[in-house]
Amino acid sequence: GLERPERLSGLILLGAVTHPWPGGIAWYHHLTTAPLLGPVFSRVVAVPVAHYLLSGGARSVFEPAPETPDYIETGEIRLLMRPAVFEANSQDIAATFDFVSAQAPRYRELKVPVVAITGDSDAIVSPTIHSAAIARQAPQGRFVLLPGVGHMPHHAAPEIVVDAIDQIVGA
């Protein structure tokens, strides 16, 4: 959106990470991305613990709403439990923190509409730190806060997401 606005009609952000967050990267992402220790840690500790926590973690992204039926199976979420994928995800999270730290000051330069849709109960990505902030900074920003919705606004209110897309690109 910042580098090639001519290629876009706008941005629809769904519970998106847009800004650096307090505390930064979780300790286990640092450990997982360590050159020698990371692969051992992910195979011996992180992936087995993640398997154990998978069901609760999936429920937590939907809370306070119920989890979409068969989300883990239909979403192929268990594929995240492969050590190489787990390590790549940790690298992505570390890169994301650095990226948004550098990019956030530029959001006032956005030339396209930005619609930040998030749930007021999102415990994964703070609605205040991220969605509300980018909607304030973007010249054509709009903040949509969904009551009683967690980190999955596209599951909880797909009609609102579709409406936001239609408003930007036309029905």
Side-chain angles (χ1 to χ4, degrees), residues 5-25:
E6 72 281 357
R7 298 180 72 183
L8 304 173
S9 296
L11 297 169
I12 307 292
L13 307 175
L14 305 176
V17 174
T18 61
H19 289 75
W21 55 93
I25 305 304

Side-chain angles (χ1 to χ4, degrees), residues 13-22 60-63 93 96 100 116-134 143 145 149-153:
L13 307 175
L14 305 176
V17 174
T18 61
H19 289 75
W21 55 93
S60 75
V61 299
F62 288 93
E63 288 176 341
I93 290 169
T96 297
V100 297
I117 303 171
T118 190
D120 69 348
S121 300
D122 190 338
I124 310 298
V125 176
S126 166
T128 305
I129 293 171
H130 301 285
S131 295
I134 193 167
F143 179 52
L145 186 64
V149 173
H151 187 58
M152 297 295 231

Side-chain angles (χ1 to χ4, degrees), residues 131-170:
S131 295
I134 193 167
R136 276 192 313 272
Q137 286 179 270
Q140 299 176 66
R142 185 162 63 97
F143 179 52
V144 178
L145 186 64
L146 304 174
V149 173
H151 187 58
M152 297 295 231
H154 52 297
H155 283 259
E159 68 285 354
I160 291 174
V161 175
V162 170
D163 184 54
I165 294 168
D166 286 347
Q167 287 178 23
I168 288 178
V169 299

Side-chain angles (χ1 to χ4, degrees), residues 20-39:
W21 55 93
I25 305 304
W27 66 269
Y28 54 88
H29 292 302
H30 286 293
L31 199 49
T32 302
T33 59
L36 298 175
L37 187 56

Side-chain angles (χ1 to χ4, degrees), residues 38-55:
V40 174
F41 173 75
S42 66
R43 284 164 177 73
V44 175
V45 177
V47 169
V49 169
H51 271 289
Y52 176 74
L53 299 174
L54 182 62
S55 292

